Structure formats: structure tokens, C-alpha cells
Amino acid sequence: MKRITTRVLLFSALVLGLSALSSSQTPKKLKVFISVDMEGIGGLVTGEETSEKGPDYQLFRQLMTEEANAAVEGALDAGATEIVVRDAHGSARNILPQLLNPEAKLIRDWSGGPLDMMEGIDKTFDAAMMIGYHARAGTPDGILKHTISGTIFDLKLNGKVVSEAGLNAAIAGYFGVPVVLVSGDLAAAGQAKELLGEVSTVAVKEGIGKAGRMLHPEKSRKLIRTAAADALKNLGRYKPYVLTVPITIEITYTREDLAIKPALYPGAKRTGERSVAFTHADLLEVLKFYLVAAE
Ligand SMILES: [Zn+2]
């Protein structure tokens, strides 16, 4: 009798132990979206190096893929259950699929839709990261600084000049997703901090006029991996960047003639010699205007 009781007790303890183990091991959903641009990838400094026509493009697209992997690996270290990498530069076909970490899904090419560099994000994601980002047009000592294209002088959201990272943070915020990490050159990292406040940043290089001082790619990848993991382990710190409504986008071009056509968009207004603005309560509508105005 005593023996049986002991066995029953042992068995119950085992069952309880196993169920406790399985509940603590049930992975919590952690979905991570990673948008990867190229100008802010460590090691590269000229536009030619980011262009498929450049002789060293193959090397730099590999470095881009490896930096994306650093973020993916950091996300995996933190327990990410799903990772989507969005190739967000040029053709959007730079990242080498066979070299990308197999745990990540890759979004390639442009759909033509308004989410653009953030194509694939939705409200099911828990965090967003931006890798290889650059500073906005007009930034001193910003490596390959620009905003969308060479024809845009600046882009404002609700009166504030933003970089591509700022615009894309607003897209993530629209879906309730916080941006937890931005990597790129020092100027890009600084602008992300200035706009978002609580955001982890990694500066993989620093502009010196048109030149740049670089960390070794291996070192950059280590920093990105660690920062990505740390940020996701402290997800509660980060808040989505949500624009107050109604939302006004104002684009100033580099030339007057560029402002004429976008001003014809229904609801758009010419606000200056080279500027056009559009206001709407829904960010997606604002992005549809942007799609036409920035083309
Ligand atoms: Zn780019």
C-alpha cells in the first residue's frame, strides 16, 4: 500500500513537472519585421557600391545580406518565432536569398503598393527593425544621405522633417508596431533617436564629408546582433511612433517643375515654389499620395 502510494505520488509529480515544463517552454509569439536598405550598410561609401551596375556590387550585396542576418540572429537569440526581411533598396532584389538565414522569410521586389520599404508589415508583428539606413537629404556628414530620391529636397510629416526611417517608423506605428532598432551611419542613427526617443541604434560607420570611417563588418554584425537581441528582450520599453491625425505630408522638391503634377492629386495643395502638401486622417491615404508624388 505504502509502495503504491509512493508510486502514485511519484507519477503525479512527474506529470505536474512535465506540464510545468511544457507550459514554460511553449514559445510566446514574437514576430519581427526587418526592413533592410543598403546605403547604411557597413563598409560601403559610394552610390556605385549600392548599384547593380557597380563593379563591386556583388561584394556589397553580400555584406548587406550578412548585416540582415545579424539582425535575424539577434531576433532568434531573443526567441523570435517569425521573422520577415524586407529588401528595401533599389530594385529590392539585392539580398542574396541563399545566404539569408533560413529562419527568415524574404520579401523581394516592389509590389507597387503604398507600404513600399515596409511591404509585408501588419498588426501581427511585435517589433520592427531598420538595417542599413541612411540620413535624410541635407544632413552634414551623412553617408549617401538622401530622402527617397535625388529629386526630393525634404519630406515633412506633421511639420517635422523626417528621414526614410522616420516615414517608415510612422508606417510601423500605423500598425501598432514599435521600431526597436535602427542601424546605419552615425547621422542616420542620431536622426532616428531624435525622432523616436527610445530606440536602439547601431552606427556601423561615420561620415567625414563625402568619406567615411568604418567599423569592420564583423564588428558591425556583432553589435547589430547584440542590440537586436537586447531590444527584443526589453520590448516593453519601445512605443509605436503614431502620428497625430489629421496627418499632413509636405514634400519639397529640388526644382519647381517637379511640384506641378503632384499638386494636381485630388486634395493636394501647392504650398510653395517647390512644395506640395496633402492632408488626410488615414495614413494609408497619405501614403497613396506619397506614392504618386515621390515617383
Ligand atoms: Zn537605398
Side-chain angles (χ1 to χ4, degrees), residues 268-288:
K269 260 197 337 219
R270 186 91 179 267
T271 50
E273 184 211 15
R274 295 177 286 124
S275 315
V276 184
F278 178 82
T279 301
H280 202 283
D282 187 346
L283 182 66
L284 282 186
E285 293 304 317
V286 170
L287 293 174
K288 286 180 196 167

Side-chain angles (χ1 to χ4, degrees), residues 29 32 34 41 57 119 162 294:
K29 175 195 84 98
V32 181
I34 306 172
I41 295 294
Y57 170 70
E119 184 75 52
V162 295

Side-chain angles (χ1 to χ4, degrees), residues 37-39 89:
D37 201 353
M38 194 166 188
E39 288 86 346
H89 169 80

Side-chain angles (χ1 to χ4, degrees), residues 37-39 50 88-90 117 132 134 146 164:
D37 201 353
M38 194 166 188
E39 288 86 346
T50 71
H89 169 80
M117 296 173 79
H134 51 83
H146 66 279
E164 291 173 23

